[in-house]
Amino acid sequence: MELKDFMDLDKLQKIQDDFSDATGLAAIAVGADGEYLTEGSNFTDFCMKYTRGSEEGNKRCIKCDNECSGTYFCHAGLMDFSVDIIVNDEKVGAIIGGQVLPAEPDEEKFRETAKELDIDPDAYINALRKVPISTESRIRAASGLLGMIVNQLVNLEYYKYQNAGRLETLQKEVGHSEDFIQTINNDTRSLKNIASKQKILALNASIEAARCGEAGAGFAVVAKSMQDLSSQSDVIYSDIERSVEEITNTFSTLSDLFS
């Protein structure tokens, strides 16, 4: 299962951008394979141009990416975060970022880091001064909130994706059932017409039997039985019609819900 198969990535991008604008933290979404799914929000030159731009710095960054999770301090002294995106107990991606300072930096330490990474110290410090500063508690709270929001959104999109096909199938089955009910209605009306004709036939037979006197006595019994059977059938067909009407109303309600 891949996140991009069911997720509206524009929605994810919007939440990510709004989060970065509100907190100053960088953020980007990746799939389970590490492929970037969104455009990076609020990425800093300090991290992307200088730290990751150096061979040694990039090695250290990759090591952090692979080994660190939650909210953590990166090798360069900034705070980063990595929050898994989980659907049905399966990791389908992550929202990662940070690139923010938890306090005013000790520039001399960062100059030493620049020398280790073979980066111009002055350029490195100039980029460092543009990095947002917050508190560790706020950074942890912000990353946790982003993870919760993204996971809720992704799971909602997955639910919609999973149930779209089921709802379509249910709609089709409701349509088939309505056709079947219409057939029952037509057949029941035909049977009621037959029962009505049987009543008339039985009545006529009773009249003729009465005219024949004793000779028609046996025929009169048969005619009476036909009349009773026709009456019973008429009651049964009326019950079927009422039941079918109730079922029809139920399916009509279901159709309105899915339309």
Side-chain angles (χ1 to χ4, degrees):
M1 175 169 52
E2 294 189 28
L3 183 61
K4 60 185 178 183
D5 290 340
F6 63 85
M7 181 66 205
D8 184 344
L9 296 180
D10 288 338
K11 290 182 180 179
L12 190 55
Q13 183 75 58
K14 179 68 165 58
I15 288 178
Q16 176 189 298
D17 290 342
D18 289 347
F19 167 81
S20 291
D21 288 343
T23 64
L25 277 68
I28 193 168
V30 298
D33 57 359
E35 177 186 353
Y36 292 125
L37 299 178
T38 56
E39 297 292 329
S41 304
N42 208 39
F43 277 17
T44 64
D45 283 346
F46 175 84
C47 289
M48 306 309 295
K49 181 177 179 180
Y50 293 103
T51 306
R52 287 185 182 269
S54 71
E55 182 177 354
E56 178 60 27
N58 191 50
K59 287 181 182 178
R60 295 183 185 183
C61 287
I62 292 174
K63 188 173 186 295
C64 283
D65 293 342
N66 293 333
E67 297 179 1
C68 300
S69 61
T71 306
Y72 58 91
F73 287 91
C74 76
H75 70 93
L78 275 61
M79 286 195 74
D80 287 340
F81 65 83
S82 177
V83 181
D84 290 344
I85 301 173
I86 306 295
V87 176
N88 288 341
D89 297 324
E90 178 183 345
K91 180 179 176 178
V92 297
I95 188 83
I96 61 177
Q99 300 184 8
V100 63
L101 288 162
E104 289 290 341
D106 182 341
E107 293 188 357
E108 288 306 314
K109 287 185 178 180
F110 280 93
R111 285 185 180 276
E112 291 300 319
T113 300
K115 293 175 183 178
E116 292 176 13
L117 303 180
D118 196 25
I119 301 171
D120 176 31
D122 290 335
Y124 204 49
I125 295 302
N126 285 335
L128 175 68
R129 290 170 180 168
K130 298 177 183 178
V131 173
I133 300 174
S134 186
T135 64
E136 182 175 342
S137 60
R138 287 181 179 176
I139 296 167
R140 292 186 183 280
S143 62
L145 179 61
L146 176 63
M148 181 178 67
I149 292 172
V150 168
N151 269 282
Q152 288 180 341
L153 173 65
V154 169
N155 277 271
L156 176 61
E157 291 291 304
Y158 180 73
Y159 174 81
K160 289 163 58 179
Y161 170 78
Q162 284 291 93
N163 286 282
R166 295 173 185 172
L167 290 176
E168 183 178 351
T169 299
L170 184 56
Q171 284 178 305
K172 289 181 180 178
E173 292 304 317
V174 168
H176 292 159
S177 298
E178 288 176 338
D179 292 340
F180 182 63
I181 288 172
Q182 185 59 46
T183 300
I184 294 175
N185 273 325
N186 293 337
D187 291 346
T188 302
R189 280 194 290 269
S190 297
L191 290 172
K192 286 190 72 175
N193 289 333
I194 293 173
S196 178
K197 291 178 181 179
Q198 284 179 330
K199 277 186 179 180
I200 296 172
L201 181 61
L203 179 61
N204 290 336
S206 297
I207 294 171
E208 292 299 324
R211 287 177 181 174
C212 293
E214 291 183 6
F219 189 61
V221 173
V222 175
K224 180 65 168 59
S225 297
M226 288 179 58
Q227 195 169 21
D228 291 344
L229 183 60
S230 297
S231 297
Q232 292 173 11
S233 298
D234 190 47
V235 171
I236 292 172
Y237 298 147
S238 295
D239 288 342
I240 292 174
E241 281 187 326
R242 282 193 295 272
S243 297
V244 168
E245 183 179 1
E246 290 178 4
I247 295 172
T248 300
N249 291 337
T250 299
F251 278 116
S252 178
T253 301
L254 288 173
S255 296
D256 290 342
L257 287 174
F258 298 136
S259 61

